[in-house]
Amino acid sequence: QVQLVESGGGLVQPGGSLRLSCAASRSIAIISNIYDIGWYRRAPGKEREAVVVMTSGGSTSYADSVKGRFTISRDNTKNTVYLQMSSLKPEDTAVYYCNAKNVITTMNYWGQGTQVIVSS
């Protein structure tokens, strides 16, 4: 069973930090280099947007709005991807989703999302 589970969301003050985690089931082996892994978000009243995508080919692309503030990383031993968010702004408030795309089949897998609220 393919599954992605996000955690780490919550309420944080502007300027604060959070680290989101995305735990992938063993069927999505991030070390296998056949998955593009990314974080997406949907802010209130807005469409879903890509925050950062780390491709199986080794490239990482951040949205302009988060460059210099967000960092994607992974722990291969735990089959987990992280999103370290710093200098958070109110406009970062959104539901954040983990995504994995099998580059061979083009199948996309999504987590249920974790809520991030940036407010004083």
Side-chain angles (χ1 to χ4, degrees), residues 1-89:
Q1 180 175 322
V2 177
Q3 187 176 18
L4 299 173
V5 179
E6 302 98 336
S7 63
L11 175 64
V12 64
Q13 295 185 155
S17 299
L18 281 175
R19 188 177 76 162
L20 307 182
S21 298
C22 173
S25 63
R26 289 186 293 274
S27 61
I28 304 177
I30 61 175
I31 196 174
S32 69
N33 295 319
I34 65 170
Y35 289 95
D36 291 345
I37 303 295
W39 288 93
Y40 294 72
R41 69 185 181 187
R42 183 180 62 81
K46 300 179 67 176
E47 65 182 15
R48 186 177 63 196
E49 66 173 342
V51 176
V52 57
V53 176
M54 180 172 57
T55 71
S56 62
S59 66
T60 303
S61 299
Y62 293 88
D64 288 341
S65 59
V66 307
K67 285 182 178 178
R69 301 189 298 118
F70 290 11
T71 303
I72 190 171
S73 62
R74 66 184 184 183
D75 184 337
N76 292 334
T77 64
K78 298 180 179 179
N79 206 33
T80 299
V81 180
Y82 303 96
L83 182 66
Q84 179 66 51
M85 306 184 294
S86 62
S87 301
L88 284 162
K89 305 174 181 179

